[in-house]
Amino acid sequence: MGEVVKFLRFRELAARGIPFSRQHIHRLIAAGKFPKPVKIGAATNGFVESEIDAWCAEKIAARDSATA
């Protein structure tokens, strides 16, 4: 059996500590600075949880390397 993939809806990003507006997230996606969402329904997009976790970890690592 393969790995289980969990999708996060936009409103769940804030619960993960990502308080950006939809507009700002779309700007980050367009600039290649935020994970792209996946089409999971006719009018529904979701973000892959593991990609969001990795993005957060990269931000923490960048902060830590800048202060070192």
Side-chain angles (χ1 to χ4, degrees):
M1 183 180 257
E3 180 183 336
V4 176
V5 176
K6 181 177 178 187
F7 294 104
L8 302 173
R9 301 291 304 274
F10 180 82
R11 64 183 170 271
E12 294 173 294
L13 296 179
R16 298 291 212 148
I18 303 169
F20 302 138
S21 68
R22 287 178 188 264
Q23 183 179 19
H24 186 63
I25 287 178
H26 287 296
R27 282 193 295 259
L28 291 173
I29 292 167
K33 297 180 178 183
F34 196 82
K36 292 182 180 180
V38 176
K39 192 83 165 159
I40 57 175
T44 306
N45 291 321
F47 295 90
V48 178
E49 180 182 42
S50 61
E51 292 177 359
I52 297 300
D53 291 342
W55 181 84
C56 290
E58 287 173 17
K59 296 298 176 192
I60 293 167
R63 176 206 60 197
D64 293 348
S65 67
T67 59

